[in-house]
Amino acid sequence: MATPTTKPDELAAPLDLLLTSATRPFARRMMPDATWARLGVSLAKQPGAVAGRAGTLARELGNVVAGRSHGAPARADRRFTDPAWQHNPLLRRIMQAYLAAAETADGLVADADLDWRDSDKMRFVIDNLVEGLAPSNSPLLSPLGWKALIDTGGLSAVRGVRAFARDMLSKPRVPAMVEPDAFAVGETLAITKGAVVTQNSVFELIQYAPQTAKVRTVPMLIVPPVINKFYVLDLAPGRSMIEYLVAQGQQVFLISWRNPLARHRDWDFDTYGAAIVEAMDAVQKIAGTDTVQLLGICSGGTLAAMTAAHLTEIGEADRMAGFSLAVTVLDQTRAGFALAMMSDRAAQAAIRVSARKGYLDGRALAEMFAWLRPTDLVWRYWVNNYVQGRPPAPFDVLFWNADATRMAAALHRDFVLMGLNNALVTPGALSMLGTPVDLSKVTMDAYVVGGISDHICPWQATYRSARLLGSKDNRYVLSTSGHIQALVNPPGNPKASYRAGPWDAEDPAQWLESAQQFSDSWWVDFLGWLAERSGPEVDAPKTLGGEGFPPLGPAPGSYVMEK
């Protein structure tokens, strides 16, 4: 683990924080504790700084009342874009007073000069309090709310109350980001043609139908996250990574994880590692090859990396023609807010909660995730859904995000303890299927992707994670997007770009300075990398499945439909 003096890469919220903190209600995370006490003691030792902040605030509030204040929101602040906040004298003064108080609160935390752990904890609390108290959120003050009330003859208020009651009566008890019927899996999302070719209690294996006369010899097996469902990789047509790869002649297979119930509480790292190995066996037999390309995404990438280490340890590394990771953190040396919030006590408490239920509820993860970005993921929808009484705009990524899954208790335990101890950094600190995990022995060609604005898997952490691998022929790609948009990144977007190069620099910042920049989506670059390592082209198979693996049903299968 990082020492208390280690500086985090950014105010991020990696998987470990979500898994640890999601077991605690949001209100409890906001309650005063020892960190608050240390903030108070530190400020008490600096009466001059506190007095200075108070005096500055008092003078600014005086200017606000007198109409002399020049306070204005930042250009990127979309909360106060309605003209009424500028032209209505009362609303302008309320906004300016709020901005002055928010600046003072932020300054006091900075003046306290806490260590980075306490500072990040307090900023989480202060940010949520400040964002929640914004006058733009108030139905009595919001000009958007009043205009909607007039435009609809009062119906907006009725709709807002109904939406509030609906959202608060069930978890995750945050404003809905998308209507539950905005999309339909298998009808408008996850519609790339394919078939389930094998199934067990843990996963379904989907083989996608070729769309070209010729395909690459070596197939790809995708290991998706164990949180949420696989179809973030197969969203609407034109936005599906799977559709793109298949259309370019790549043979694609994908694991669809089952949504575990309480009776599956004992599924752990080994359960999922064995599932990946079983899926690889099936892919090789169906495709008639000795090797596969293995791609792991987020938490699925962690499992895939551990499985790759296991296969290497038992002498079967040659089963992987290449190894790829996307938005995956293996090294959490400076994992930002996650590491600040984690402790052995918190980890054990989280483990006990999931052990009692048999799983970690995905809706609790969704709530925690929302409160980590309150402006974008809570209050924006509060104003739209409740104050204005409008349904949220349909967006496929948010529909996927709301389609939460559970995590088996044993897997939750394993992930939390792994993150708490940063165990993948130390060879042999963890085991997979009875063999020690040493990522430095994973030496096949590797391709790793990060997102520069990713707040779940900070790109610096994904870069350090790549360097844990022993691959000599390697490529690190940094997309200009965040955690999900780095994946949902179809070609043709004029604003898209990426940087790429070998991970030869020790420091991520040094790599960023030297990496070559390219326009368009990294999907094109990845396809080229795959083509060089996926063998010659052969005739596409006429049917899906094979001997011992008859098609069991059409994609996207049945497990993805389970709630």
Side-chain angles (χ1 to χ4, degrees):
M1 292 179 61
T3 63
T5 58
T6 302
K7 182 180 179 181
D9 285 325
E10 57 182 53
L11 186 59
L15 179 63
D16 308 86
L17 171 63
L18 296 174
L19 297 182
T20 302
S21 296
T23 57
R24 298 177 60 208
F26 173 75
R28 288 183 58 189
R29 293 192 293 268
M30 297 290 291
M31 295 299 290
D33 58 11
T35 301
W36 289 59
R38 286 190 288 272
L39 172 71
V41 169
S42 180
L43 291 176
K45 294 178 180 178
Q46 303 178 65
V50 174
R53 293 283 180 189
T56 299
L57 177 61
R59 288 190 295 273
E60 178 60 17
L61 291 178
N63 289 332
V64 167
V65 173
R68 296 191 300 267
S69 173
H70 299 291
R75 292 186 63 181
D77 190 343
R78 308 296 299 171
R79 296 172 298 175
F80 303 105
T81 54
D82 190 279
W85 291 111
Q86 301 297 328
H87 302 304
N88 182 295
L90 177 61
L91 290 181
R92 185 178 68 251
R93 285 171 168 80
I94 291 173
M95 176 192 70
Q96 290 174 331
Y98 164 77
L99 293 174
E103 182 178 358
T104 300
D106 184 69
L108 287 172
V109 175
D111 291 341
D113 195 25
L114 302 170
D115 70 52
W116 72 269
R117 290 174 183 269
D118 283 346
S119 178
D120 278 359
K121 289 181 183 179
M122 287 310 306
R123 287 195 180 280
F124 172 76
V125 172
I126 295 300
D127 285 351
N128 273 284
L129 289 174
V130 167
E131 295 292 340
L133 293 172
S136 55
N137 299 331
S138 171
L140 298 179
L141 295 175
S142 172
L144 297 176
W146 284 107
K147 289 174 182 177
L149 197 68
I150 294 170
D151 291 343
T152 65
L155 284 178
S156 63
V158 176
R159 294 169 186 158
V161 170
R162 286 176 179 171
F164 178 81
R166 178 198 65 188
D167 293 342
M168 295 303 113
L169 286 174
S170 62
K171 293 180 179 179
R173 296 190 176 89
V174 293
M177 301 176 205
V178 66
E179 291 294 303
D181 58 353
F183 299 92
V185 178
E187 297 178 19
T188 55
L189 301 178
I191 63 172
T192 302
K193 293 186 180 302
V196 175
V197 291
T198 190
Q199 179 193 74
N200 64 21
S201 62
V202 181
F203 74 97
E204 291 178 328
L205 179 66
I206 298 173
Q207 179 184 10
Y208 288 94
Q211 297 180 12
T212 53
K214 299 282 187 178
V215 295
R216 292 288 173 181
T217 305
V218 178
M220 165 183 282
L221 173 61
I222 301 177
V223 183
V226 291
I227 300 171
N228 290 94
K229 296 177 179 177
F230 78 81
Y231 64 88
V232 69
L233 304 169
D234 190 23
L235 292 174
R239 287 167 52 78
S240 165
M241 183 178 181
I242 291 172
E243 175 194 51
Y244 174 78
L245 292 172
V246 172
Q248 301 301 316
Q250 190 71 41
Q251 294 192 70
V252 178
F253 293 76
L254 177 139
I255 292 173
S256 175
W257 299 115
R258 186 174 194 175
N259 193 3
L261 299 170
R263 68 176 184 270
H264 304 129
R265 65 177 65 243
D266 294 327
W267 290 0
D268 58 6
F269 275 164
D270 284 346
T271 306
Y272 285 82
I276 295 172
V277 173
E278 183 177 340
M280 289 178 64
D281 293 341
V283 170
Q284 289 178 226
K285 290 176 182 176
I286 292 170
T289 64
D290 296 326
T291 60
V292 301
Q293 288 280 354
L294 189 62
L295 167 62
I297 311 291
C298 194
S299 55
T302 304
L303 296 168
M306 295 175 67
T307 305
H310 162 70
L311 293 173
T312 301
E313 191 68 28
I314 64 174
E316 296 185 10
D318 55 358
R319 294 182 61 182
M320 294 170 284
F323 181 60
S324 308
L325 293 173
V327 292
T328 298
V329 173
L330 307 174
D331 180 357
Q332 302 174 69
T333 302
R334 296 189 296 276
F337 185 47
L339 197 56
M341 294 293 285
M342 287 182 69
S343 67
D344 185 66
R345 181 179 178 182
Q348 294 300 331
I351 290 168
R352 286 193 298 272
V353 170
S354 65
R356 285 195 296 269
K357 297 180 67 175
Y359 56 82
L360 175 67
D361 193 336
R363 293 173 299 178
L365 283 170
E367 179 196 14
M368 182 64 200
F369 181 81
W371 286 111
L372 288 166
R373 296 176 59 196
T375 300
D376 294 334
L377 300 182
V378 177
W379 298 113
R380 170 187 171 188
Y381 293 98
W382 171 280
V383 173
N384 181 83
N385 301 5
Y386 308 153
V387 177
Q388 293 181 271
R390 298 165 49 187
F395 185 29
D396 52 10
V397 169
L398 292 178
F399 181 87
W400 165 83
N401 188 63
D403 195 1
T405 62
R406 294 171 289 275
M407 177 180 278
L411 184 65
H412 176 232
R413 174 202 65 209
D414 288 352
F415 264 113
V416 168
L417 294 180
M418 178 194 69
L420 181 69
N421 299 305
N422 201 14
L424 287 177
V425 172
T426 305
L430 283 179
S431 66
M432 170 60 81
L433 298 172
T435 59
V437 173
D438 184 350
L439 296 178
S440 68
K441 293 182 179 180
V442 178
T443 59
M444 72 285 299
D445 297 354
Y447 189 103
V448 177
V449 181
I452 197 166
S453 55
D454 191 338
H455 60 286
I456 299 297
C457 298
W459 80 266
Q460 300 94 332
T462 63
Y463 180 84
R464 287 193 306 272
S465 298
R467 287 178 56 82
L468 292 179
L469 304 176
S471 308
K472 302 304 179 185
D473 187 336
N474 61 67
R475 188 167 179 81
Y476 182 79
V477 172
L478 180 60
S479 171
T480 51
S481 308
H483 188 68
I484 300 303
Q485 294 302 329
L487 299 175
V488 186
N489 196 351
N493 181 356
K495 296 182 180 180
S497 66
Y498 62 93
R499 294 178 182 269
W503 55 69
D504 47 9
E506 182 175 353
D507 184 73
Q510 294 175 349
W511 179 90
L512 186 62
E513 291 179 1
S514 61
Q516 187 176 357
Q517 185 165 359
F518 303 88
S519 59
D520 211 344
S521 166
W522 64 270
W523 286 8
V524 179
D525 183 79
F526 183 46
L527 185 70
W529 185 89
L530 285 173
E532 293 177 1
R533 295 160 178 82
S534 297
E537 291 186 334
V538 296
D539 290 338
K542 304 296 184 184
T543 59
L544 299 181
E547 185 177 354
F549 299 96
L552 304 177
S558 60
Y559 282 176
V560 74
M561 303 296 185
E562 294 181 352
K563 299 297 182 181

